[in-house]
Amino acid sequence: MSKELAELWRFRGLLWQLVRRDLKVRYKNSRLGFLWSIAPPLMQVAVITFAFRHATNFAAKFPSYSAFVLVAMIPWTYFQTAVQDSCQSILMMYTVIKKVYLPREIIPLSSTISNFIHFLLSWLVFVLYWYVFRRGPILWTVLWFPYLVIVQFMLVTGVGLFVACLNVFYEDIKYIVTIVMSLLLFVLPIMYVPEQVVYTSHIGGRYHPIFIWFYMNNPITALITGFRKTLLQPPSPAAVGGPSLPLNVGSLLFAGLISFGILIASYAYFNKRKWEFIERP
Amino acid sequence: MGIYRKTVAPDSETASHAILVENLHKTFRLQHRKSASIKYAILNFYRKNPVEKREALKGVSFRVEHGETVALVGKNGSGKSTLLSLMAHVYKPTSGIIQLNGKIATLLELGAGFHPDLTGVENVELYGAILGLTIKEIHQKFDSIVKFAFDTPDLAEKIDTPLRNYSEGMKMRLGFSLAVHTDPDILLIDEVLAVGDEAFQQKCYRKIEEFQNEGKTIVFVAHYAHIIRQVASRVIWMHNGLIRMDGPLEPTLEAYLKASDDPNYHSKNS
């Protein structure tokens, strides 16, 4: 793998050019440019807040419900768009890699990196939101922020490399990814908080504790919960049906370990198959 | 277009050659799909489509010295483009040795990395990076690249407009100009020497002559005898994945042209 990394470093100029191209091309012909990447999550937050405030009674008891949705929606949007973009990326550059030598991992990497830049900029929206609505003091746990951002980058890049590679051989993957993403939006605690699942669900019967462990400690839930608990005041027990769970440091460290593992394993798999890309039967 | 360096220790026996190819094999897998219908796909979900192995190269060996200009000839499907792609490091060989000593630039298809929504300037930066230039080198050579591609100022003026406004000819000229500005030691060219109008072609030939005078190595695939006669010093004739003849320009080209005039040549599998 060190040989591959050295090769990647040698092509860093090209990687940067591809990231620049992604950033430029996306809104090339639009007037509002970057606003188009923050408008959809903002509108989603507004609509979800409206619907949940009126349809459920927990959101009504939740004074800063929209902040909780926004803080989950920003990392979720990054995960979703970056994985979907890198899934398609290699087939979009197919004519180029058929003619020219370049380390193939550069292509999905440029997708996850350009989306990462959008992800970082999206946090400015949260800062603005914070400033306008004054949702309490800034917590010292904000120091976790860089760690969480890096862990998420590793997770997204790992998953992105894997689906990008697989999609070259089985184009069903892009449909599967789209479906899974639309389901995860509801399964994961994005529109609600995980305490509600912990306190009220009985899924799995006897195996309920195991289910809850996986639900809480999978890297995406861990990251979303991590962002919420480090940036926002805990919700009131009345809103979530029990005492708010404390920030779980073990779960965050575990998410870091798992994400790193996924990245290494996907990169190894990608390297094993990258020479078959243009020779697929 | 892609550039990579293979360095061989100077004391090694192979370093004296620009290109060393030994007993090179390349096998592709081809899949036959009987029907594309949904019904067929569902009924045969578990059944794998038959995969046929096709040997594109069946053991090719040759050496190219520094400064030589070699033309690869042969009918369609004889393996010359596969051979060139292997030299460009786009494929990995199935077996055998392939070594290139020096910086490589390949002109396999011009403009493969161009993006229609970016301007000419932005495309030069992107395509230059795909060709292995740093952003600094691109900016240094920028004027020269544009000047080589477009000789009249009204064409050069378009460089900051989106590429979709360019004609096919202009895109190709820009691609060719970029590739020759990468300053390679070994230039690989695939059937693209017939780019642009008469004046631009003359310019390309002059550039190739310049490369030859500088002692650079050129390997190219061509179908037209007049192009081969103008540029090459040696001809390698490929036939069914093997070298049929390898020698100096005139006798080898003559033999190939004579054979391809024979109507049996194109059907016979010998």
Side-chain angles (χ1 to χ4, degrees):
Chain A
M1 190 169 282
S2 61
K3 222 178 88 194
E4 256 92 15
L5 286 174
E7 187 74 345
L8 195 61
W9 177 248
R10 216 162 58 78
F11 277 82
R12 63 191 182 280
L14 175 59
L15 179 59
W16 176 236
Q17 285 301 320
L18 287 174
V19 169
R20 270 186 54 177
R21 181 199 65 168
D22 276 359
L23 293 175
K24 273 185 191 166
V25 167
R26 189 176 312 191
Y27 305 113
K28 196 73 188 175
N29 298 320
S30 71
R31 294 255 157 192
L32 297 177
F34 168 69
L35 286 178
W36 281 119
S37 70
I38 54 172
L42 272 185
M43 287 190 262
Q44 268 175 306
V45 169
V47 170
I48 291 166
T49 306
F50 172 80
F52 275 61
R53 275 262 158 82
H54 294 89
T56 70
N57 52 17
F58 90 89
K61 292 183 209 155
F62 217 137
S64 51
Y65 175 71
S66 58
F68 273 76
V69 178
L70 180 64
V71 167
M73 201 51 100
I74 292 172
W76 170 251
T77 307
Y78 170 46
F79 184 79
Q80 186 192 6
T81 48
V83 169
Q84 282 179 340
D85 282 0
S86 46
C87 185
Q88 306 266 36
S89 61
I90 290 176
L91 289 183
M92 304 243 298
M93 289 282 277
Y94 204 68
T95 50
V96 178
I97 58 169
K98 248 183 126 159
K99 302 287 175 192
V100 185
Y101 169 74
L102 49 102
R104 281 95 205 258
E105 54 270 36
I106 276 189
I107 299 165
L109 258 181
S110 72
S111 296
T112 58
I113 293 175
S114 63
N115 276 299
F116 183 68
I117 292 170
H118 275 281
F119 169 60
L120 292 182
L121 291 173
S122 314
W123 285 106
L124 293 177
V125 179
F126 175 71
V127 173
L128 193 72
Y129 181 94
W130 191 269
Y131 185 77
V132 172
F133 293 99
R134 303 244 178 230
R135 300 284 187 201
I138 294 164
L139 307 170
W140 68 268
T141 44
V142 74
L143 295 175
W144 276 97
F145 187 76
Y147 171 78
L148 294 174
V149 163
I150 290 166
V151 170
Q152 187 164 8
F153 177 70
M154 292 195 298
L155 177 69
V156 166
T157 307
V159 176
L161 281 173
F162 183 67
V163 294
C165 178
L166 226 50
N167 192 53
V168 177
F169 304 104
Y170 314 99
E171 283 184 53
D172 314 71
I173 298 298
K174 70 168 182 244
Y175 303 110
I176 294 172
V177 166
T178 311
I179 294 167
V180 168
M181 289 297 177
S182 64
L183 297 180
L184 282 181
L185 176 63
F186 292 93
V187 172
L188 295 171
I190 295 165
M191 302 180 198
Y192 46 92
V193 288
E195 279 90 341
Q196 291 170 299
V197 176
V198 174
Y199 292 137
T200 59
S201 85
H202 302 286
I203 301 170
R206 208 141 58 88
Y207 303 105
H208 184 65
I210 301 172
F211 166 79
I212 290 296
W213 190 89
F214 275 106
Y215 189 73
M216 295 300 288
N217 289 289
N218 74 75
I220 312 179
T221 309
L223 282 167
I224 289 173
T225 318
F227 278 119
R228 275 177 173 161
K229 290 196 188 295
T230 54
L231 296 173
L232 301 171
Q233 297 276 20
S236 68
V240 295
S244 178
L245 298 172
L247 175 68
N248 189 341
V249 172
S251 161
L252 289 186
L253 296 179
F254 183 67
L257 207 66
I258 290 286
S259 302
F260 186 67
I262 289 175
L263 177 62
I264 298 295
S266 299
Y267 191 38
Y269 178 72
F270 191 94
N271 281 331
K272 212 180 124 213
R273 298 205 73 175
K274 64 181 175 185
W275 287 101
E276 297 170 37
F277 287 173
I278 49 168
E279 293 178 29
R280 57 175 188 165
Chain B
M1 300 195 271
I3 289 187
Y4 77 115
R5 239 175 231 282
K6 271 206 174 164
T7 38
V8 174
D11 57 326
S12 152
E13 184 239 335
T14 54
S16 57
H17 304 281
I19 301 169
L20 172 82
V21 173
E22 246 174 51
N23 201 19
L24 191 67
H25 286 262
K26 182 70 201 171
T27 307
F28 291 107
R29 291 180 305 150
L30 294 175
Q31 199 173 51
H32 295 280
R33 293 185 189 174
K34 291 213 172 60
S35 161
S37 78
I38 293 172
K39 188 178 147 205
Y40 179 87
I42 292 169
L43 291 178
N44 296 282
F45 180 72
Y46 58 90
R47 196 184 296 165
K48 279 194 172 165
N49 280 313
V51 174
E52 180 207 335
K53 287 193 169 177
R54 198 178 67 83
E55 278 187 276
L57 294 178
K58 304 170 184 168
V60 171
S61 306
F62 64 91
R63 287 170 182 208
V64 177
E65 306 298 328
H66 288 288
E68 267 191 295
T69 301
V70 180
L72 293 174
V73 299
K75 63 179 184 181
N76 289 337
S78 60
K80 44 191 197 316
S81 286
T82 305
L83 184 56
L84 211 64
S85 294
L86 277 161
M87 288 184 207
H89 198 44
V90 166
Y91 296 123
K92 277 244 194 285
T94 308
S95 69
I97 296 171
I98 182 158
Q99 272 180 353
L100 286 90
N101 300 309
K103 195 171 160 189
I104 299 159
T106 55
L107 262 82
L108 295 179
E109 191 178 274
L110 294 166
F114 282 155
H115 196 288
D117 281 342
L118 294 174
T119 67
V121 181
E122 289 165 335
N123 267 299
V124 167
E125 287 173 0
L126 175 65
Y127 195 54
I130 291 177
L131 291 164
L133 290 173
T134 65
I135 191 79
K136 220 169 136 191
E137 288 171 319
I138 295 166
H139 288 152
Q140 277 166 4
K141 295 178 178 181
F142 186 80
D143 289 336
S144 164
I145 291 167
V146 175
K147 210 179 148 203
F148 185 87
F150 312 125
D151 17 35
T152 55
D154 59 310
L155 286 178
E157 252 174 30
K158 267 179 138 175
I159 197 76
D160 56 359
T161 66
L163 206 77
R164 57 186 130 81
N165 300 331
Y166 288 38
S167 68
E168 282 308 306
M170 284 173 71
K171 277 186 241 177
M172 288 191 141
R173 290 168 74 140
L174 196 56
F176 188 90
S177 173
L178 253 164
V180 296
H181 278 86
T182 55
D183 197 26
D185 302 316
I186 301 170
L187 191 64
L188 307 172
I189 310 172
D190 190 1
E191 302 184 54
V192 288
L193 277 181
V195 169
D197 52 23
E198 187 65 31
F200 188 71
Q201 276 192 31
Q202 287 311 315
K203 215 166 166 180
C204 293
Y205 288 134
R206 278 202 299 278
K207 194 74 194 177
I208 284 170
E209 264 168 39
E210 211 177 282
F211 276 148
Q212 288 170 329
N213 293 337
E214 287 165 16
K216 293 180 178 188
T217 312
I218 301 171
V219 178
F220 70 105
V221 168
H223 285 299
Y224 300 107
H226 71 274
I227 294 178
I228 298 167
R229 285 208 172 90
Q230 192 161 356
V231 180
S233 58
R234 172 180 163 191
V235 173
I236 294 178
W237 171 10
M238 299 285 299
H239 188 69
N240 284 337
L242 288 166
I243 294 177
R244 173 168 279 195
M245 208 177 196
D246 176 1
L249 171 66
E250 272 312 324
T252 321
L253 186 61
E254 274 307 318
Y256 167 67
L257 293 174
K258 213 172 143 192
S260 55
D261 279 341
D262 181 356
N264 289 328
Y265 173 73
H266 295 279
S267 55
K268 229 172 21 183
N269 274 331
S270 59

